[in-house]
Amino acid sequence: MATQPPPEGEVYLIHLNTPMSHAQHYIGWAKEVEKRLFHHRNGTGSRMLAVAAQRGIDFDVVRRWIGDRHFERKLKNRHKARMLCPICNPPKS
Ligand SMILES: [Zn+2]
């Protein structure tokens, strides 16, 4: 059973396994994150991730928040994607 996506959409953080031109993270917004990730992997989403896919760099959504485009903008403006990433900043046990 598929659950209904939240009406305001979701903000997602993508971590690239290999840094690409000093960037290793991508923050985006989508109504349906799985669908958007499919496009990213296909090279039909964002330019940056299309290039990553072309180069054979693997990437995945590592974190997501329910929120609208304003929240996406807020997160992007902070320039702290690395701090938000659970792979770059594993929680201390
Ligand atoms: Zn990361």
Side-chain angles (χ1 to χ4, degrees), residues 46-79:
S46 84
R47 177 83 193 121
M48 171 183 163
L49 294 177
V51 173
Q54 262 172 27
R55 295 187 192 170
I57 295 171
D58 196 24
F59 53 81
D60 211 347
V61 173
V62 292
R63 210 170 156 184
R64 47 207 280 184
W65 303 264
I66 293 172
D68 58 14
R69 284 185 171 280
H70 296 284
F71 184 58
E72 177 202 15
R73 178 52 50 199
K74 250 192 203 170
L75 283 187
K76 280 187 174 173
N77 287 347
R78 275 193 221 159
H79 300 292

Side-chain angles (χ1 to χ4, degrees), residues 13-17 24-25 62 81-89:
L13 173 70
I14 282 178
H15 169 95
L16 288 85
N17 285 0
Q24 196 168 4
H25 299 92
V62 292
R82 177 170 292 276
M83 301 293 293
L84 299 169
C85 177
I87 294 191
C88 297
N89 284 286

Side-chain angles (χ1 to χ4, degrees), residues 1-5:
M1 280 296 285
T3 50
Q4 282 296 315

